[in-house]
Amino acid sequence: MTDRTALILSDDFLRHETGDHPESPSRLIAIRQGLQQAGMLADRPVWEPQPASLELVTAIHRPEYVSMVERLALLGGGWLDADTVVCPVSYPVALLAAGAAVQAVDAVMAGQAPRVFAFVRPPGHHAEPGRGMGFCLFNNIAIAAWHALHAYRLQRVAILDWDVHHGNGTQAAFYDTDRVLFISLHQWPLYPGTGRASETGRGEGLGFTLNLPLLPGTGDARYLALFDETIEPRLLDYRPELLLVSAGYDAHWQDPLADMRVTEQGFAAMAARVRRWADTLCAGRLVLVLEGGYNLAALAASVVATLQALDEPNSIG
């Protein structure tokens, strides 16, 4: 087994055409170019994804919603809401995005790689059980977490969401269970309007949702303080068997859709901590799934910095 972080990449994700839209194929083109220029596509596994089964997708999403997305695509596409577009091939591409996240879980559980970063689109963390929204069709990371719990009989999976927007769909998927610890750092107030600190779970899930809303203008220092003082103790207490990350890069100071001040170095420092936690708690098992990030240069630079930190965490402060 290599110690390098494996990647899941595919030109098939470019087929989800969104037109004049922030969430466009150019995002993945910029990431691939950035990785190539940094020499980071050599000497590591780079895999093509496989689509998720309908059974897995409907474990998180209502069957009637999944069927509606399929029909809309077959009819030539359309809009789920003012932000979320479906093109004629969006349905199979969305299955591929979910499948990539599942495949990443399978790879780390089988020991094929200690860590996997799945570069997917459409993103997923806003997709709720009965509706897509916020550029998202199916909730890739939630589907992957469900798969981990049931295929491998895990009891504790942690999901850390550092996208600048709250992962309302992921929260909704696991709000009633203690088998998933969901942690989200996000700008507040901001779309989608969920993620208050008072949202902590329900029933058996009470206390297993940790929302950390942040004021506009928050930068590296506050993020890293929360990682060290709040998130790390919570993870040490929970002791997850697998760590998943919704890796969005729209908290970057150059991103047009938010107003935060995180730098590439900040994302690298967060990634280094996540790897150390995985090494300590989960036998290294770590999966990252791409979410947002809409300034192309900032997105590519932040992904490169993240991957460097995942490969060599001790080089990052």
Side-chain angles (χ1 to χ4, degrees):
M1 179 182 73
T2 179
D3 191 51
R4 310 294 281 177
T5 305
L7 310 181
I8 299 179
L9 279 169
S10 178
D11 287 343
D12 284 337
F13 292 128
L14 307 181
R15 298 170 61 217
H16 175 59
E17 290 284 355
T18 52
D20 185 16
H21 194 284
E23 203 297 288
S24 68
S26 58
R27 299 177 63 236
L28 290 192
I29 294 171
I31 287 172
R32 186 185 285 272
Q33 290 175 343
L35 292 173
Q36 287 174 331
Q37 291 168 3
M40 304 193 78
L41 293 181
D43 300 321
R44 75 177 68 245
V46 181
W47 300 321
E48 285 283 331
Q50 299 296 319
S53 68
L54 188 59
E55 178 183 10
L56 273 177
V57 176
T58 55
I60 292 296
H61 295 287
R62 294 172 191 154
E64 59 270 24
Y65 165 67
V66 177
S67 296
M68 183 271 289
V69 175
E70 181 181 24
R71 287 196 306 271
L72 184 60
L74 288 171
L75 291 171
W79 293 81
L80 298 182
D81 62 17
D83 298 314
T84 311
V85 64
V86 173
C87 81
V89 297
S90 291
Y91 178 72
V93 175
L95 291 179
L96 201 64
V102 169
Q103 184 178 338
V105 167
D106 286 338
V108 300
M109 294 304 299
Q112 295 173 333
R115 301 166 302 282
V116 181
F117 200 144
F119 294 106
V120 306
R121 56 182 299 274
H125 72 150
H126 292 310
E128 296 186 341
R131 65 168 177 163
M133 57 185 287
F135 312 164
C136 303
L137 301 185
F138 301 144
N139 196 314
N140 308 313
I141 207 161
I143 293 166
W146 190 94
H147 174 68
L149 292 171
H150 292 82
Y152 299 98
R153 299 185 180 181
L154 301 186
Q155 296 302 309
R156 297 178 307 281
V157 172
I159 300 174
L160 173 61
D161 189 330
W162 72 46
D163 189 279
V164 80
H165 303 96
H166 179 243
N168 57 296
T170 312
Q171 175 174 295
F174 302 113
Y175 206 57
D176 300 305
T177 182
D178 60 0
R179 295 180 68 190
V180 175
L181 171 64
F182 175 66
I183 302 172
S184 177
L185 308 97
H186 46 273
Q187 182 177 324
W188 178 266
L190 194 65
Y191 180 91
T194 52
R196 294 173 175 82
S198 59
E199 297 169 22
T200 60
R202 180 174 52 229
E204 292 183 358
L206 185 62
F208 294 92
T209 292
L210 175 60
N211 283 306
L212 301 169
L214 299 168
L215 292 172
T218 300
D220 295 352
R222 179 60 177 153
Y223 271 80
L224 296 178
L226 286 170
F227 267 58
D228 294 339
E229 298 166 11
T230 301
I231 298 173
E232 181 171 329
R234 187 68 184 92
L235 287 173
L236 290 172
D237 179 66
Y238 187 66
R239 301 198 65 81
E241 299 162 284
L242 172 68
L243 181 55
L244 308 178
V245 178
S246 270
Y249 293 93
D250 35 10
H252 192 281
W253 65 274
Q254 290 180 300
D255 198 274
L257 298 190
D259 190 26
M260 299 303 246
R261 294 293 177 267
V262 179
T263 67
E264 297 98 295
Q265 293 75 25
F267 285 116
M270 289 189 271
R273 285 160 170 78
V274 164
R275 163 147 183 204
R276 290 170 193 157
W277 297 337
D279 288 347
T280 300
L281 298 170
C282 317
R285 293 189 291 262
L286 173 62
V287 168
L288 299 93
V289 181
L290 184 67
E291 300 287 359
Y294 305 101
N295 178 293
L296 299 183
L299 173 61
S302 297
V303 165
V304 167
T306 295
L307 197 54
Q308 289 171 335
L310 292 174
D311 287 339
E312 298 180 22
N314 294 326
S315 67
I316 307 296

